[in-house]
Amino acid sequence: MTHPHLPVLSPLMVEDQVRAALVEDLGRAGDITSQATIAPEMTATAELNAREEGVVAGLDLARAAFRLMDPAIRFEAFVKDGDRLSPGTVIATISGPARAVLSAERVALNFLMHLCGVATYTARFAGEIAHTKAKVCCTRKTIPGLRALEKYAVRMGGGSSHRYGLDDAILIKDNHIAVAGGVAGAIRAARAFAGHLVKVEVEVTTLEELEEALEAQPDVILLDNMGPELLRRAVEINRDCAGLSDEAYAADPRRVKLEASGNVNIATIRAIAETGVDYISTSKITMAAPTLDIGLDIVLR
């Protein structure tokens, strides 16, 4: 049963992504190695095995790779997305026409290893800040064409998404401010433009800009490249501006939320979270995540 608070990948998107990857890999003549060495009637059984610890993400894509190659292939998963893996865990068994199993192997593994890697790296970041209220968020810095998949994997690892694209939230960055002529003016213009369901966030780099932004009341303020001491002071300014006690500040859903970004990595995220910010955005969990070592091994009977 799918957890009600976790996302589900659209089967249409999964099929489109996997089909394109198979077409790319098969080229004009198909898998000539398997055609040359394996008779058409031969069958095979294989296991997808985890070779290191990690978090599962992308099983639907692996399953689709084998199904699209040959509907006769049977794919039986023993884990689900979001589960933790140990070295030696059998993720799934695949059985069916041998040529098709081997032809789909690389595409299935490419998706699975990459997305499990993103989920696993995200889980490391989330684990570093689990004792705080802060959430680690991915950004728009994703591999072109794979954004929805990578953001899905981030969720499987315990992270959150910032925004999916340019159209689902307003984020006023330094260049927007430079052209618009100031922080407060840019926020007022955004408020006048946006519908009531569209959030407005503004990026600031100094405490002076923070105070100017707070007067204009965006939904979120992005504190860019501020060290822990400045971040801590920013939280204090936000609390004082809202006129709230420490306990009331933490619980008040109406106050401006604070998000930290810049110089966020596995070594710095704990100190950043402990300043009291609400969100921490980083491209590391999508752009720097190492792939998880997963192998497909033929089972000899």
Side-chain angles (χ1 to χ4, degrees), residues 184-288:
I187 295 171
R188 285 193 293 269
R191 284 292 191 203
F193 176 88
H196 68 286
L197 293 181
V198 177
K199 296 287 188 181
V200 175
E201 181 172 13
V202 63
E203 177 186 276
V204 302
T205 57
T206 67
L207 297 181
E208 290 74 24
E209 287 181 339
L210 168 67
E211 291 175 341
E212 183 182 353
L214 284 170
E215 289 184 6
Q217 287 291 293
D219 297 294
V220 186
I221 296 176
L222 183 67
L223 307 167
D224 189 45
N225 280 299
M226 292 188 183
E229 289 305 316
L230 277 181
L231 290 173
R232 195 169 289 108
R233 180 62 184 137
V235 171
E236 292 172 356
I237 292 171
N238 191 30
R239 183 191 60 219
D240 294 344
C241 182
L244 298 170
S245 66
D246 286 347
E247 290 184 3
Y249 176 84
D252 193 331
R254 297 164 299 175
R255 66 171 175 81
V256 175
K257 300 295 190 295
L258 299 182
E259 179 174 0
S261 71
N263 193 34
V264 179
N265 56 53
I266 197 66
T268 63
I269 192 168
R270 177 184 290 264
I272 293 171
E274 290 175 348
T275 65
V277 295
D278 301 285
Y279 306 104
I280 304 170
S281 57
T282 176
S283 63
K284 292 290 190 295
I285 53 178
T286 50
M287 298 298 281

Side-chain angles (χ1 to χ4, degrees), residues 3-298:
H3 193 288
H5 300 300
L6 290 178
V8 176
L9 287 172
S10 163
L12 294 176
M13 181 186 66
V14 167
E15 181 156 327
D16 285 348
Q17 292 273 5
V18 173
R19 187 183 300 277
L22 287 171
V23 168
E24 175 185 58
D25 205 25
L26 290 166
R28 295 169 298 174
D31 180 1
I32 60 175
T33 305
S34 294
Q35 292 176 42
T37 60
I38 298 171
E41 69 277 6
M42 294 186 72
T43 60
T45 297
E47 292 179 344
L48 284 173
N49 293 304
R51 293 173 178 163
E52 58 182 326
E53 292 183 357
V55 178
V56 184
L59 276 175
D60 283 350
L61 291 111
R63 181 185 289 108
F66 293 106
R67 175 180 56 80
L68 288 172
M69 186 61 67
D70 193 325
I73 295 177
R74 183 169 179 267
F75 185 99
E76 183 179 6
F78 302 110
V79 297
K80 60 184 182 301
D81 282 1
D83 284 354
R84 266 47 181 177
L85 297 170
S86 299
T89 299
V90 178
I91 297 170
T93 58
I94 303 100
S95 55
R99 282 185 176 180
V101 169
L102 295 180
S103 295
E105 172 186 359
R106 179 43 52 199
V107 166
L109 284 174
N110 282 352
F111 279 119
L112 195 59
M113 292 171 69
H114 176 56
L115 296 182
C116 285
V118 170
T120 300
Y121 205 40
T122 301
R124 286 187 61 196
F125 277 73
E128 287 290 320
I129 62 173
H131 62 295
T132 74
K133 67 177 181 180
K135 295 181 179 179
V136 61
C137 305
C138 56
T139 69
R140 286 169 47 238
K141 294 178 182 177
T142 54
I143 295 175
L146 296 185
R147 180 172 296 171
L149 301 182
E150 292 180 346
K151 284 182 173 285
Y152 169 84
V154 165
R155 291 288 303 278
M156 290 301 119
S160 299
S161 178
H162 192 245
R163 57 176 177 161
Y164 267 82
L166 293 171
D167 63 339
D168 61 333
I170 292 176
L171 174 51
I172 306 165
K173 297 179 71 67
D174 55 349
N175 286 333
H176 300 103
I177 293 167
V179 175
V183 171
I187 295 171
R188 285 193 293 269
R191 284 292 191 203
F193 176 88
H196 68 286
L197 293 181
V198 177
K199 296 287 188 181
V200 175
E201 181 172 13
V202 63
E203 177 186 276
V204 302
T205 57
T206 67
L207 297 181
E208 290 74 24
E209 287 181 339
L210 168 67
E211 291 175 341
E212 183 182 353
L214 284 170
E215 289 184 6
Q217 287 291 293
D219 297 294
V220 186
I221 296 176
L222 183 67
L223 307 167
D224 189 45
N225 280 299
M226 292 188 183
E229 289 305 316
L230 277 181
L231 290 173
R232 195 169 289 108
R233 180 62 184 137
V235 171
E236 292 172 356
I237 292 171
N238 191 30
R239 183 191 60 219
D240 294 344
C241 182
L244 298 170
S245 66
D246 286 347
E247 290 184 3
Y249 176 84
D252 193 331
R254 297 164 299 175
R255 66 171 175 81
V256 175
K257 300 295 190 295
L258 299 182
E259 179 174 0
S261 71
N263 193 34
V264 179
N265 56 53
I266 197 66
T268 63
I269 192 168
R270 177 184 290 264
I272 293 171
E274 290 175 348
T275 65
V277 295
D278 301 285
Y279 306 104
I280 304 170
S281 57
T282 176
S283 63
K284 292 290 190 295
I285 53 178
T286 50
M287 298 298 281
T291 58
L292 194 72
D293 192 1
I294 298 170
L296 184 142
D297 304 306
I298 296 294

